[in-house]
Amino acid sequence: MSYIQRIEPRWVEIVDVETALFFGLSQFRHPPDGREEAEAGGSAWVGTRDMNFNPFDLPAAHIFKVSGGKMHEIQAAGFSSPYDSKTGWSNK
């Protein structure tokens, strides 16, 4: 996912200590100059591939599961928006 050059802003809004679930918001920025991605082959990186897309943002809400001090799972929902869109929850 090297074509995602910025993730901003990032907010963790709600933490449930009993279930070790964290809720956060972020905005993935996919700029016009990020058109190549490393390609995996089994357990090794084998090259690059062209990423043919127009620049866009992906505002998303995430739920993170933490266990033993490490993140184990992420569930997210998001949508595409114009590149460098305002988030609605920050000044950026």
Side-chain angles (χ1 to χ4, degrees):
M1 311 232 327
S2 59
Y3 58 90
I4 302 170
Q5 292 189 0
R6 297 181 330 209
I7 303 174
E8 63 181 18
R10 293 177 252 189
W11 293 29
V12 173
E13 294 292 315
I14 301 168
V15 177
D16 183 333
V17 178
E18 288 184 29
T19 61
L21 293 173
F22 296 72
F23 173 81
L25 302 168
S26 68
Q27 184 132 326
F28 293 82
R29 310 277 187 184
H30 302 78
D33 57 352
R35 302 240 177 175
E36 207 171 74
E37 178 184 40
E39 193 171 300
S43 61
W45 294 102
V46 295
T48 60
R49 64 182 169 142
D50 288 333
M51 301 299 292
N52 295 317
F53 58 80
N54 291 322
F56 69 98
D57 284 356
L58 186 100
H62 315 269
I63 296 176
F64 304 91
K65 175 65 176 176
V66 176
S67 178
K70 296 183 179 182
M71 194 175 311
H72 286 271
E73 189 172 345
I74 303 171
Q75 297 290 322
F79 61 92
S80 294
S81 65
Y83 183 64
D84 263 343
S85 293
K86 294 205 179 284
T87 63
W89 66 80
S90 100
N91 294 330
K92 291 185 179 185

